[in-house]
Amino acid sequence: MNPLKISITGVRGVVGETLTPHLIVQFTQAFATYVGGGAVFVCNDARHSAAMVRSAVLSGLLATGCEPVDFGVCPTPSMQFALMGANASAGIAVSAGHNPEAWNALRFIRGDGMYFNAQQGDSLLDVYHSAAYTKAAWDEFKTVRIKANPWDAHLEKIRNAFDTARIKKRKFHIAVDTCNGACSQPATRLLESMGCKVTAIHDQPGRPFPHDPEPTRQNMQTLRAVVRATGCDAGFMFDTAGDRLGIVTDKGDALFEELTLPLCVMLQMQENPGVVITNLSTTRAVEDVAHAAGARVIRTPIGQAYVAEAAYKNKAVIAGEGSGGIILPAVQNNNDSMATMAFLLHHMARRRAKISTLVDKIPHYEMCKHKAPMDFTRIYSAIQRARLDAARMFPGARLILDDGVKLEWRDAWLHLRPSNTESVIRIITEARTAARAEKLLQAGLELIA
């Protein structure tokens, strides 16, 4: 149940089982061959396997004649920001982000800071399978450069993008849970530079994860207790890479991760409306708040690469997914949890509003999310059967096959799709009532049985 996952998000697996040093070096050699050499930025989160995986990546880059630039423990968005405008070929983020600690991953990033798109990912796999990698001669090896102050420019951009002066005047008290990941130091530094008092928990990079790093309500229970005990204005949880953000309100309520994007879209529409990009599995509340401002919503297949590419092509003012990953083009065209945190503080300060008050304005839906574990050899045949059976079982529904199987009704929807990051089929349903959402979930389980 823990196979190697190769997808548009990169290569990830359980270290010591499927993600081995040999495989890491080979994929890195294929990547370096594909990008054509030059400087390649490398960063990692702080999980226990990071040193081994990063070392194998650096070896693979050196073996092909690249010049690695080592950012060390650094949020992936900070490295992506550094790539923009830099004289570098590409980047590799060593991080499994929201996955449990046993996992790690190589995430492949273009020279413009964005993830590989589907076509580029397929081309990279062709190079990997051909095993025709560029090989540097003994006297052609470069040296590894160490990047000093790897996130300073990124934090400065965030401060300049939002109303830092007004945030400072509010003197917010903010709690953060960085899951002992890459945001442990920079998130605290950003908040303090914006005049906030910070109460940080789980902020020791390299220590074991205190809980799974996915910013869900279940994983924010300790953060909730801290916010309630200290009277914080808000609490924020980061995954280990710095891609996704979880929110705890001033009342100590941990928000469902699907609410992060509609909250941000609602605030963005009030200040600067425009095109919104999200994926097929994200709540319809995004349409509700965007359409209220006369804005258009475009949906894509699931994955940051798809969403970011569409955001760039359509000049979106905001984009994101129901995972808590938000793209704010005013900072960069990638998921950026620290920028999202600053964006929320910006609006809390300008409106002199509590975050709980802002959340109360989001339209309400009921959603079910279920992971159906399945051997990776059966996943795609199960999805194919579901495609065939869905039209027969639900003739009145709109059928969308852009990513798995999605059935839409006027007031509800059901989505089945293979995960990009785990050996599971994800089943997501949404409706106006919990009973309808649960009924659709059971129908989804029947479709893949």
Side-chain angles (χ1 to χ4, degrees):
M1 296 307 296
N2 291 320
L4 189 73
K5 295 292 294 182
I6 303 172
S7 69
I8 192 171
T9 62
V11 180
R12 69 181 63 211
V14 174
V15 176
E17 295 182 17
T18 54
L19 195 67
T20 63
H22 178 69
L23 185 104
I24 294 164
V25 170
Q26 284 191 318
F27 258 105
T28 303
Q29 287 178 293
F31 173 79
T33 300
Y34 177 73
V35 301
V40 176
F41 293 0
V42 180
C43 73
N44 61 271
D45 64 18
R47 62 186 65 215
H48 192 65
S49 61
M52 182 279 286
V53 179
R54 185 183 75 246
S55 296
V57 167
L58 295 176
S59 294
L61 292 174
L62 291 168
T64 55
C66 289
E67 180 186 22
V69 181
D70 188 0
F71 280 56
V73 177
C74 175
T76 300
S78 296
M79 188 187 76
Q80 290 174 292
F81 180 81
L83 275 167
M84 297 188 302
N87 187 23
S89 299
I92 298 178
V94 177
S95 174
H98 65 282
N99 286 127
E101 193 165 11
W103 288 72
N104 215 323
L106 311 184
R107 300 197 285 177
F108 302 121
I109 301 168
R110 305 183 321 212
D112 62 359
M114 293 171 62
Y115 285 109
F116 274 26
N117 60 33
Q119 182 178 358
Q120 291 163 335
D122 287 342
S123 298
L124 172 60
L125 282 177
D126 289 342
V127 176
Y128 169 73
H129 289 303
S130 74
Y133 312 141
T134 301
K135 296 180 177 63
W138 68 271
D139 58 349
E140 295 175 337
F141 293 129
K142 304 294 192 299
T143 58
V144 178
R145 282 196 285 133
I146 304 300
K147 174 66 174 177
N149 306 315
W151 51 69
D152 282 0
H154 180 210
L155 301 190
E156 182 179 4
K157 175 65 175 181
I158 293 172
R159 285 190 293 268
N160 292 337
F162 304 113
D163 197 341
T164 297
R166 198 164 297 188
I167 293 171
K168 285 182 175 180
K169 290 180 180 178
R170 288 296 306 274
K171 298 180 180 179
F172 291 120
H173 182 186
I174 304 298
V176 293
D177 178 355
T178 53
C179 200
N180 295 333
C183 286
S184 294
Q185 294 180 39
T188 298
R189 186 176 300 181
L190 174 63
L191 286 167
E192 290 175 344
S193 71
M194 300 178 95
C196 298
K197 177 183 177 182
V198 182
T199 298
I201 60 173
H202 308 141
D203 61 340
Q204 302 294 317
R207 300 280 294 174
F209 291 176
H211 48 69
D212 279 352
E214 191 169 7
T216 62
R217 284 181 292 194
Q218 179 181 352
N219 294 331
M220 290 191 283
Q221 294 308 305
T222 303
L223 184 61
R224 288 182 63 202
V226 170
V227 169
R228 288 178 172 177
T230 58
C232 287
D233 295 290
F236 297 106
M237 179 187 159
F238 301 81
D239 72 347
T240 61
D243 292 329
R244 302 181 179 188
L245 186 72
I247 301 171
V248 174
T249 72
D250 50 284
K251 294 180 178 180
D253 298 324
L255 293 191
F256 182 34
E257 64 269 19
E258 286 286 337
L259 295 180
T260 304
L261 181 59
L263 171 62
C264 292
V265 170
M266 179 182 69
L267 297 173
Q268 178 67 39
M269 294 300 103
Q270 293 171 2
E271 193 165 273
N272 180 29
V275 174
V276 178
I277 309 293
T278 190
N279 68 33
L280 289 168
S281 285
T282 298
T283 175
R284 278 184 177 172
V286 173
E287 270 92 355
D288 291 345
V289 296
H291 292 168
R296 183 165 61 113
V297 176
I298 299 172
R299 291 192 177 255
T300 74
I302 285 72
Q304 183 187 161
Y306 292 111
V307 174
E309 191 95 354
Y312 177 77
K313 289 180 179 178
N314 292 279
K315 296 182 172 57
V317 296
I318 190 170
E321 301 183 274
S323 61
I326 309 296
I327 295 171
L328 297 165
V331 176
Q332 63 171 320
N333 204 51
N334 297 295
N335 283 359
D336 191 333
S337 59
M338 290 191 293
T340 306
M341 176 176 67
F343 171 88
L344 291 169
L345 296 178
H346 163 98
H347 286 279
M348 290 165 61
R350 284 200 164 185
R351 289 167 170 74
R352 298 194 64 81
K354 295 181 178 180
I355 194 164
S356 58
T357 303
L358 298 174
V359 170
D360 286 343
K361 298 177 182 178
I362 301 172
H364 179 73
Y365 289 89
E366 296 289 344
M367 181 177 279
C368 294
K369 290 186 175 184
H370 179 76
K371 296 179 183 180
M374 189 174 294
D375 189 276
F376 74 102
T377 59
R378 295 182 50 233
I379 285 177
Y380 289 95
S381 60
I383 290 293
Q384 184 58 32
R385 288 197 310 274
R387 287 185 176 205
L388 298 174
D389 292 343
R392 175 180 55 82
M393 292 175 61
F394 302 100
R398 180 189 176 206
L399 185 62
I400 302 172
L401 303 177
D402 293 346
D403 188 342
V405 182
K406 186 175 185 182
L407 295 157
E408 284 190 342
W409 295 268
R410 182 182 57 81
D411 59 348
W413 55 267
L414 158 66
H415 194 189
L416 309 167
R417 54 174 294 273
S419 170
N420 289 329
T421 58
E422 301 175 64
S423 186
V424 301
I425 291 179
R426 297 188 187 275
I427 307 175
I428 305 108
T429 68
E430 185 175 66
R432 287 293 185 181
T433 67
R436 179 78 191 282
E438 180 62 34
K439 185 177 180 180
L440 289 174
L441 174 60
Q442 294 305 315
L445 288 168
E446 291 177 16
L447 281 170
I448 62 170

